[in-house]
Amino acid sequence: MTKKKLFIPIIAVLLLIPVVYLLVNRYNHPVSPVTEETLDSLEVIELPEPDLLYGLPVDSFQIEENTVKRNQFLADIFLKAGVDYPTIHTIVEKTKPVFDVRKIKVGNQYHLFFSPDTLKQLRHFVYAIDNTDYMVVSLGDSIHAYRDIKETRKELKVASGVINSSLWVTMTENDINPLLAIELSEIFAWTVDFFGIEKGDNFKVYYNELYVDSVSIGIGEIQAAVFHHRGRDYYAFNYEEDSVKHFFDEEGQSLRKAFLKAPLKFSRISSRFSNSRLHPVLKIRRPHHGIDYAAPTGTPVYALGDGRVIARDYQKRGGGNYIKIKHNSVYTTVYMHLHGFAKGISKGTQVRQGQLIGYVGSTGLSTGPHLDFRVYKNGHPVDPLKIDAPPVNPVKEEHMQDYKSYITPLKLKVDAIPLPVSE
């Protein structure tokens, strides 16, 4: 064998030695197990959150947004999207427990989610029922429909205004959601005379406004407010006691008073609140927005709550002798078919809860002695038997220290809200 031929195998052996060494070393020294220390040294790659629309990943679809047109039906939308009639029929059946598709409204928004390929097949249909609710129809191997609610976002806000004409106008002038006027009138209904607002009266409010996407859908919880009326500050703090929230003043007194359960002692209810009742005298159907309490002639009738008599009159072809009492800017009560009025009751008289105001009779259009009693809330008739009786008790003694601690920072916040400077 020549030297050259001998040299080649020697070189090959030398090249194999490192490979053999590595294999033997790996066998004798296996990979170390992953420990807490080694994990800490690893680089963590955070994946971005997918962009979702109605809970569906935007990147996975071709999405088209549109609104329902006049005289457009659900079938028209699906046909245009390439869905055949048999499938549309199945969709209508599947949506029945979720939403009546015959009630889709002109102008309401809908989205079509198509497959991202060239086939562009409809995968999901989303219809916005209102500002919060929406319906999803998913098309695949099977069709299913469901209803869901958009996430509502709370935004903490402050508002203030000096009243020159009315609370509602002041809200508009200061670019404040006018629904806040309704909320304030409800909270301060028993302490502020909103029909006797004086120029210069003002308010400050610390509250939440509710948003879906970027659209305001209403007023959320009012945490604290102060209303300056006729030279006096009236505070309201929203405090939870025994799992129920009520509004109390800085001394822990409730801002609301309670009504009596009924304005008289009666034998039975002869007629209830109805939008279509057969009138016993006229023999025609018409609304009866009150409660008829059957009671003997002369039965005493009492004021349901504190208030001012704004009418004491006679209506020949209707309520006969009647009294109308305004309790606050929200509630008014009417007492009809009276036999007579109590002494001292006239228009403008201030009455107290439970004060005698008249007597049961059968005057006007009536078939027998009874009291036709009616309640109006913000000018609209409501069922007297369904009035949500306001709380009347103050904060409990055992909760008073907690209440004082709770309202102290709130009072500082609401007091610090600046009033708009009049130009």
Side-chain angles (χ1 to χ4, degrees), residues 341-413:
F341 307 107
K343 186 178 179 180
I345 298 298
S346 59
K347 185 176 179 180
T349 302
Q350 293 288 334
V351 295
R352 305 292 296 174
Q353 183 183 73
Q355 181 177 334
L356 178 66
I357 58 173
Y359 306 91
V360 171
S362 187
T363 56
L365 284 180
S366 172
T367 57
H370 72 283
L371 174 70
D372 184 342
F373 174 63
R374 306 191 177 200
V375 177
Y376 294 85
K377 182 178 181 181
N378 293 319
H380 300 286
V382 295
D383 188 343
L385 299 179
K386 295 182 179 179
I387 296 175
D388 183 18
V392 68
N393 296 324
V395 173
K396 293 179 181 178
E397 189 64 36
E398 59 266 30
H399 298 154
M400 189 58 72
Q401 185 175 350
D402 176 72
Y403 176 73
K404 292 287 187 180
S405 299
Y406 173 76
I407 70 169
T408 297
L410 283 177
K411 188 174 185 297
L412 291 173
K413 287 179 180 178

Side-chain angles (χ1 to χ4, degrees), residues 124-288:
H124 304 280
F125 166 79
V126 181
Y127 170 72
I129 298 170
D130 50 36
N131 286 332
T132 58
D133 289 34
Y134 62 92
M135 175 186 69
V136 179
V137 178
S138 296
L139 298 86
D141 294 335
S142 61
I143 296 172
H144 64 278
Y146 61 92
R147 184 168 176 158
D148 210 338
I149 301 174
K150 290 182 181 180
E151 183 179 353
T152 302
R153 173 175 56 87
K154 293 181 181 180
E155 186 174 315
L156 192 59
K157 288 192 170 186
V158 297
S160 64
V162 178
I163 302 170
N164 293 313
S165 55
S166 72
L167 183 58
W168 187 275
V169 170
T170 304
M171 295 290 178
T172 306
E173 290 175 346
N174 290 277
D175 197 27
I176 303 170
N177 190 328
L179 293 176
L180 188 60
I182 298 174
E183 296 292 331
L184 289 179
S185 66
E186 289 277 352
I187 293 169
F188 292 103
W190 300 92
T191 49
V192 174
D193 181 5
F194 286 96
F195 289 91
I197 291 290
E198 296 181 348
K199 188 174 181 179
D201 285 357
N202 59 72
F203 63 88
K204 300 177 181 181
V205 196
Y206 189 60
Y207 69 104
N208 287 312
E209 191 159 356
L210 304 178
Y211 289 85
V212 169
D213 299 327
S214 59
V215 179
S216 172
I217 61 169
I219 303 300
E221 185 177 87
I222 291 179
Q223 297 187 18
V226 59
F227 208 108
H228 183 80
H229 177 55
R230 295 180 179 176
R232 178 180 171 185
D233 287 333
Y234 295 93
Y235 284 90
F237 301 100
N238 198 351
Y239 179 68
E240 183 176 322
E241 186 176 50
D242 299 330
S243 301
V244 180
K245 288 191 174 184
H246 297 309
F247 284 96
F248 301 92
D249 64 15
E250 65 269 44
E251 300 301 324
Q253 297 295 318
S254 172
L255 263 68
R256 307 184 74 178
K257 298 180 181 180
F259 282 138
L260 297 176
K261 289 296 183 182
L264 77 169
K265 293 180 180 179
F266 59 95
S267 57
R268 62 187 174 86
I269 293 176
S270 55
S271 182
R272 294 178 179 269
F273 188 94
S274 172
N275 288 316
S276 178
R277 183 193 72 154
L278 182 64
H279 194 279
V281 176
L282 300 176
K283 302 302 180 184
I284 59 173
R285 289 201 168 273
R286 66 179 189 178
H288 180 254

Side-chain angles (χ1 to χ4, degrees), residues 285-360:
R285 289 201 168 273
R286 66 179 189 178
H288 180 254
H289 290 153
I291 297 292
D292 285 351
Y293 292 102
T297 298
T299 300
V301 176
Y302 305 99
L304 201 70
D306 294 359
R308 178 171 59 88
V309 177
I310 59 174
R312 196 210 81 160
D313 214 332
Y314 181 80
Q315 188 180 52
K316 183 178 180 181
R317 300 291 297 172
N321 289 322
Y322 73 94
I323 293 173
K324 183 182 290 187
I325 299 175
K326 189 166 194 60
H327 300 281
N328 50 44
S329 58
V330 176
Y331 288 103
T332 301
T333 54
V334 180
Y335 312 76
M336 303 166 70
H337 305 305
L338 298 174
H339 179 69
F341 307 107
K343 186 178 179 180
I345 298 298
S346 59
K347 185 176 179 180
T349 302
Q350 293 288 334
V351 295
R352 305 292 296 174
Q353 183 183 73
Q355 181 177 334
L356 178 66
I357 58 173
Y359 306 91
V360 171

Side-chain angles (χ1 to χ4, degrees), residues 61-64 80-83 112-123:
F61 303 97
Q62 300 179 58
I63 302 174
E64 293 182 7
K80 190 176 180 180
V83 181
L112 301 168
F113 291 74
F114 293 98
S115 60
D117 50 40
T118 55
L119 294 176
K120 197 180 178 183
Q121 294 178 316
L122 184 63
R123 297 302 186 196

